[in-house]
Amino acid sequence: MGTSAVNSGEQTDRQSRILDAAMDLLSRHGISGVSMRAVAREAGVALGLVNYYYDDKTTLIRAALSRVDEHDLLLVAPDPSVSPDEQLRKALHRVAAADLLTTRYLSLRLHLWALAQADEDYAQINAAAFDRYIDGLAALVSSAKPELSWNECRERASDIVVIQNGMWLTALLGVDKASIQRSITRTEEIAFAPVQGALPDEAGRDTGLNQQ
């Protein structure tokens, strides 16, 4: 392996460690707990290295928002190895994965949402990320329910996200597995609901999709 490849890997690892440290501080202390010096201390690196990768705290927070955006898109990533119905079901279940229902992760999300409400720049980043997630989820709905228009798919995706966000907020108060399962079931009901005005036999087939 060449020296340049090793150096590149080390740089990526250091930058990732710095960003992880910033996100940990943000989840525990909010924006007031994030400073370049605090991040350096948390990451175990020199302050100069933090300044090398990130110009200031704002740049760090933007990077954190981008990291969460990337993670959200993975939640709705299609899986060509399974049927469209199963792709959608898997996506609806991913939001309740054990690594997401942790105090650290949910607290981080809460702080980032609060930042988006308080700062126009962060709000635009968050809004763009939200639209990408909605589009990704709507695309899965469209594949499973091709008879729906794109607008109808996005409407269902938006309704599902409301439930998902509520599930995450509720989980901060203590994970109730039965409640989480009810929330997932409700998102499946929305996703696979019969099309309004469908013929009885069509509605029957659609309803059958929810039976496991």
Side-chain angles (χ1 to χ4, degrees):
M1 183 180 294
T3 302
S4 61
V6 173
N7 290 339
S8 176
E10 290 177 349
Q11 290 177 4
T12 300
D13 179 67
R14 285 196 296 263
Q15 187 173 6
S16 180
R17 193 161 75 246
I18 290 169
L19 183 54
D20 285 342
M23 294 173 77
D24 280 338
L25 288 171
L26 184 61
S27 70
R28 298 201 308 266
H29 308 297
I31 188 66
S32 62
V34 180
S35 69
M36 304 299 272
R37 191 173 300 279
V39 169
R41 185 168 55 250
E42 183 78 12
V45 300
L47 176 59
L49 193 61
V50 178
N51 289 320
Y52 174 78
Y53 288 114
Y54 300 99
D55 294 334
D56 50 29
K57 183 166 74 172
T58 298
T59 308
L60 265 172
I61 300 302
R62 285 176 180 163
L65 284 166
S66 294
R67 169 78 71 83
V68 172
D69 179 24
E70 292 170 1
H71 185 270
D72 284 352
L73 290 180
L74 289 176
L75 296 177
V76 293
D79 180 0
S81 67
V82 298
S83 68
D85 287 1
E86 188 59 25
Q87 288 184 51
L88 180 52
R89 289 189 191 283
K90 289 176 67 173
L92 297 177
H93 282 255
R94 283 189 195 117
V95 299
D99 60 327
L100 298 187
L101 299 183
T102 64
T103 300
R104 174 194 177 277
Y105 184 76
L106 296 174
S107 178
L108 172 65
R109 297 297 299 241
L110 192 60
H111 283 299
L112 289 174
W113 286 337
L115 283 173
Q117 295 299 313
D119 185 283
E120 181 62 30
D121 185 34
Y122 296 146
Q124 292 178 1
I125 296 173
N126 188 65
F130 179 76
D131 280 341
R132 283 190 288 271
Y133 180 79
I134 290 291
D135 282 342
L137 184 54
L140 294 179
V141 174
S142 180
S143 293
K145 303 283 290 182
E147 65 272 25
L148 293 173
S149 69
W150 178 248
N151 285 339
E152 289 171 323
C153 290
R154 281 194 110 253
E155 287 174 0
R156 292 194 181 196
S158 297
D159 290 344
I160 288 168
V161 169
V162 170
I163 294 174
Q164 290 176 339
N165 287 341
M167 180 180 66
W168 281 355
L169 290 173
T170 300
L172 271 174
L173 304 177
V175 177
D176 179 341
K177 292 184 178 180
S179 177
I180 296 298
Q181 185 54 54
R182 286 194 298 272
S183 294
I184 294 174
T185 298
R186 180 58 187 140
T187 62
E188 290 182 323
E189 291 171 350
I190 293 171
F192 292 107
V195 180
Q196 291 185 356
L199 296 175
D201 60 329
E202 293 176 334
R205 287 198 296 271
D206 288 335
T207 303
L209 292 174
N210 281 326
Q211 298 175 0
Q212 297 183 349

